[in-house]
Amino acid sequence: MVGGMGLADLTADAVNTAIDEYDQLGGETFLAKYGFGPARDYFVIRNGKAYDSKAIAGAAHGYLPGRAPLRADAFSGGRATVVPRLRLLGFHVPPHRSPAWIRDEVILACDLVAQNDWHYMDSEDPRVIELSGLLQRLPFHPVELRSDTFRNPNSVARKTADIATHHPDYTGAATKGGAIDKEVLAEFLDDPAGMHEIAETLRHAIATDVVGQLFTPVDDEDDEVKEGRLLQRQHFVRERDKKLRAQKIGDFLKAHPRVHCEVCAFDFEATYGQRGHQYAEVHHVVPLHASGETKTKLADLIVLCANCHRMIHRYSPWLTPEQLRGLLRAQA
Ligand SMILES: [Zn+2]
Ligand SMILES: [Zn+2]
């Protein structure tokens, strides 16, 4: 076994020449010539056509000056060896499996099943096809980690079965599914209207994110909130709107001589001087899925110092300002 060592010298030219040869000979003859079986897991994609990645790498080795082709049993293929090498050379080798479903995705799928009276759906269903399109637009799974079947209608249909067959009224055998499926299902059963509202807001947020601002990660994503990552991100994007913050602070100054945190009374200017003049953060008291897409009312915002703001968002569920005041009092 050469392991990955013989592959380290591979060049893009050699790989392309091997792919050309594959095209000329046809797959069967090519594999027989170099002594490979058909690939099961990884394919290198060129011009939309898939080639057995290990066989291509073995054959390409023979196109390096002074080298012979590597036979199947002479090196290990797959994720640790051939795939990273081919990717490094710029070839598209999609992963065998797609990343696991995250909460946002499961909320949307679960909502579909709930709307369908807790029956699972097939891949031809227009609602499944629509959700498949929506999931491809969610910004959380990097393109290079997506398999070629990433969230396609088939995989969405399978997810609806994972959810529906775990419903307490379902009498047949449950499909495998993940822990997050059961968690979200339980939340839907517990609070159908609230979870549906979250799903609707999420759907709307994906569909209307015209500027792609939600694709920019924010650093507050320590913890997964009930509403999922996208709405969490949207919450922070809104709070950081400079214009909104200026309006709120202006409004606050009508009733107060100086800007200060409404929870702990911290005054940036008193501590930092002119640099902290009229500075504070603003926080939305109403969660996004409850407020919907309506224009933010200044009354829904409160003025906070950075520390208090961070503590509110540190864990899910987020604290109300009154709860945070309670923590401060308890410590005092
Ligand atoms: Zn504070
Ligand atoms: Zn906030």
Side-chain angles (χ1 to χ4, degrees):
M1 293 281 278
V2 190
M5 287 308 286
L7 300 169
D9 304 325
L10 275 191
T11 62
D13 275 350
V15 173
N16 274 316
T17 310
I19 294 177
D20 292 341
E21 188 189 10
Y22 187 112
D23 278 341
Q24 278 153 22
L25 296 179
E28 216 171 300
T29 312
F30 179 90
L31 293 176
K33 174 181 171 185
Y34 289 103
F36 285 83
R40 278 180 313 240
D41 290 351
Y42 292 100
F43 294 87
V44 51
I45 311 290
R46 193 180 75 174
N47 300 329
K49 214 176 139 189
Y51 302 86
D52 312 57
S53 61
K54 190 181 177 191
I56 291 293
H61 200 260
Y63 286 110
L64 296 171
R67 306 290 184 82
L70 295 173
R71 296 189 65 88
D73 55 4
F75 68 113
S76 53
R79 207 167 63 177
T81 53
V82 169
V83 173
R85 187 65 208 157
L86 290 176
R87 285 188 187 147
L88 202 65
L89 293 173
F91 291 93
H92 177 45
V93 189
H96 180 43
R97 286 160 163 265
S98 274
W101 288 57
I102 63 163
R103 190 176 174 80
D104 302 60
E105 299 173 297
V106 177
I107 288 174
L108 290 171
C110 198
D111 187 52
L112 217 56
V113 181
Q115 300 305 309
N116 199 39
D117 291 323
W118 297 106
H119 298 303
Y120 55 78
M121 298 148 99
D122 66 49
S123 60
E124 312 278 297
D125 193 305
R127 294 166 294 177
V128 167
I129 293 167
E130 194 210 342
L131 179 56
S132 160
L134 215 55
L135 295 177
Q136 320 246 356
R137 295 179 55 187
L138 259 181
F140 298 108
H141 302 297
V143 176
E144 65 273 18
L145 296 184
R146 301 179 178 197
S147 74
D148 281 356
T149 58
F150 176 80
R151 305 306 183 249
N152 68 4
N154 253 323
S155 78
V156 174
R158 259 201 320 275
K159 182 55 66 178
T160 69
D162 291 342
I163 293 164
T165 61
H166 279 93
H167 190 281
D169 294 344
Y170 184 79
T171 48
T175 60
K176 209 159 154 265
I180 187 98
D181 302 348
K182 288 160 215 164
E183 217 173 276
V184 171
L185 171 61
E187 288 170 36
F188 264 89
L189 295 176
D190 187 48
D191 176 17
M195 291 304 285
H196 176 61
E197 202 168 37
I198 289 173
E200 284 289 292
T201 314
L202 183 52
R203 193 177 275 280
H204 186 74
I206 302 169
T208 57
D209 180 28
V210 279
V211 290
Q213 61 181 359
L214 301 178
F215 283 66
T216 318
V218 288
D219 57 1
D220 297 54
E221 291 177 325
D222 320 338
D223 188 49
E224 192 112 273
V225 300
K226 184 181 179 194
E227 291 79 12
R229 269 186 245 178
L230 194 81
L231 296 186
Q232 178 186 21
R233 206 171 266 196
Q234 197 173 59
H235 180 97
F236 292 129
V237 165
R238 283 175 140 198
E239 290 187 338
R240 284 166 198 188
D241 181 333
K242 284 202 178 94
K243 231 171 79 190
L244 194 66
R245 189 163 68 188
Q247 276 172 10
K248 176 66 189 178
I249 288 175
D251 193 57
F252 186 85
L253 283 171
K254 287 180 198 159
H256 306 85
R258 287 162 67 105
V259 177
H260 64 261
C261 174
E262 292 187 65
V263 168
C264 75
F266 184 87
D267 177 332
F268 278 89
E269 190 174 359
T271 304
Y272 299 107
Q274 183 58 28
R275 199 172 178 92
H277 180 62
Q278 293 193 357
Y279 181 81
E281 299 190 359
V282 299
H283 167 69
H284 271 261
V285 178
V286 188
L288 192 70
H289 68 88
S291 72
E293 285 299 303
T294 55
K295 219 166 158 287
T296 304
K297 291 195 282 298
L298 292 184
D300 294 342
L301 299 171
I302 72 162
V303 172
L304 290 180
C305 74
N307 282 348
C308 287
H309 197 188
R310 196 66 179 229
M311 288 301 105
I312 281 181
H313 288 299
R314 179 144 195 230
Y315 299 114
S316 181
W318 294 340
L319 297 179
T320 64
E322 198 38 59
Q323 285 170 327
L324 189 64
R325 281 186 199 109
L327 291 189
L328 276 184
R329 274 197 300 272
Q331 289 303 313

